[in-house]
Amino acid sequence: MDIAKLYELQKIDANMLKVRRRVAQIRQQQGESNELKEAGAVATATQAEQEQLRAAERSAELTSQQLARRIQDAEQRLMSGEVRNPKELESLQSSIESLKRQRTGAEEAAIAALQRGEEVTTRLLREQEILAEMERSWQAEQENLTQEENKLKRIYAQLKQQRQPIVDRLGGPAMELYTQLGTRKAGVAVAAVKNGTCGACNVSLPTGIISSARADEGDPVYCPSCGRILYSA
């Protein structure tokens, strides 16, 4: 069995796994972030508040104008001499005073809505600036993520091309052993010998096992601790 090719296959598969995991992370990061959504929602709510205040201001101004016409009509009637009955005159005068108080209230409401609207408009402009900056940063990040994903896809395709000839060369029995071990050993079937230890479990290896692992061909040599195939260059 060509242990060197098995180890080469192991490295390719490890790189392919890294690429798949990174692509999965990228796809989770794509799309609007919670922070961006929250900033957009805040600006939208403030804009709705601004529109409500403008509507309230217009409504109060319209009410004031309507009351002004009613006051004018009542005063003209009062001054025309048409009403002579003292009680009717008193009632008309009282009505005019009531209308004037209502108009004053409407004018105050219009001014309050205007002032509050100016405050909200200032806040909205600030929120929109923050949102615009966040959107620019988000757009740049999305472009970078897309570029990275495309690069990783090209790398993954290259790794697949490198992998297939090795699989064909190793053959069925070796691939079956490799797959079974990888399934049982967290995806790592072959471990390199490093400084006299197993590169997977870091256990020191007997000299005889290390010497046997140096053979490129023949039966695989297993780590006595973790059970993975050992490869020694």
Side-chain angles (χ1 to χ4, degrees), residues 91 131 199 218:
S91 176
L131 178 60

Side-chain angles (χ1 to χ4, degrees), residues 46-209:
T46 302
Q47 187 171 16
E49 183 181 359
Q50 180 194 55
E51 293 172 355
Q52 291 174 353
L53 287 167
R54 286 177 175 174
E57 180 187 354
R58 290 192 297 269
S59 176
E61 288 176 346
L62 178 60
T63 298
S64 176
Q65 293 170 1
Q66 291 172 342
L67 288 169
R69 287 193 292 269
R70 291 177 61 186
I71 291 170
Q72 184 179 13
D73 292 343
E75 287 179 338
Q76 286 178 351
R77 187 183 176 202
L78 180 66
M79 299 301 294
S80 66
E82 296 177 5
V83 180
R84 297 181 181 276
N85 185 290
K87 289 185 178 181
E88 290 184 7
L89 286 171
E90 184 180 353
S91 176
L92 183 57
Q93 183 64 46
S94 176
S95 176
I96 291 172
E97 292 174 356
S98 175
L99 289 172
K100 287 182 177 180
R101 287 193 297 271
Q102 292 178 46
R103 187 187 179 194
T104 298
E107 289 175 344
E108 291 175 349
I111 293 172
L114 175 62
Q115 292 174 339
R116 178 61 180 157
E118 290 174 349
E119 295 173 1
V120 171
T121 297
T122 300
R123 173 156 51 91
L124 177 60
L125 290 173
R126 184 170 61 252
E127 291 171 354
Q128 288 175 335
E129 288 175 359
I130 293 172
L131 178 60
E133 180 60 32
M134 291 179 67
E135 286 176 338
R136 284 192 292 270
S137 299
W138 172 81
Q139 186 63 43
E141 181 184 3
Q142 294 299 301
E143 291 174 359
N144 290 336
L145 289 173
T146 300
Q147 291 175 3
E148 184 182 358
E149 182 180 5
N150 291 336
K151 180 181 178 180
L152 289 171
K153 286 179 179 178
R154 291 193 296 270
I155 292 173
Y156 192 81
Q158 293 170 358
L159 290 170
K160 285 185 69 175
Q161 290 178 349
Q162 295 172 13
R163 187 181 194 276
Q164 191 57 48
I166 297 174
V167 171
D168 294 340
R169 178 172 174 174
L170 287 169
M175 285 304 303
E176 184 177 355
L177 175 62
Y178 173 80
T179 301
Q180 289 175 351
L181 269 178
T183 301
R184 297 201 309 267
K185 304 296 181 180
V188 181
V190 185
V193 177
K194 298 179 179 179
N195 299 321
T197 64
C198 171
C201 66
N202 297 319
V203 170
S204 296
L205 299 169
T207 303
I209 289 180

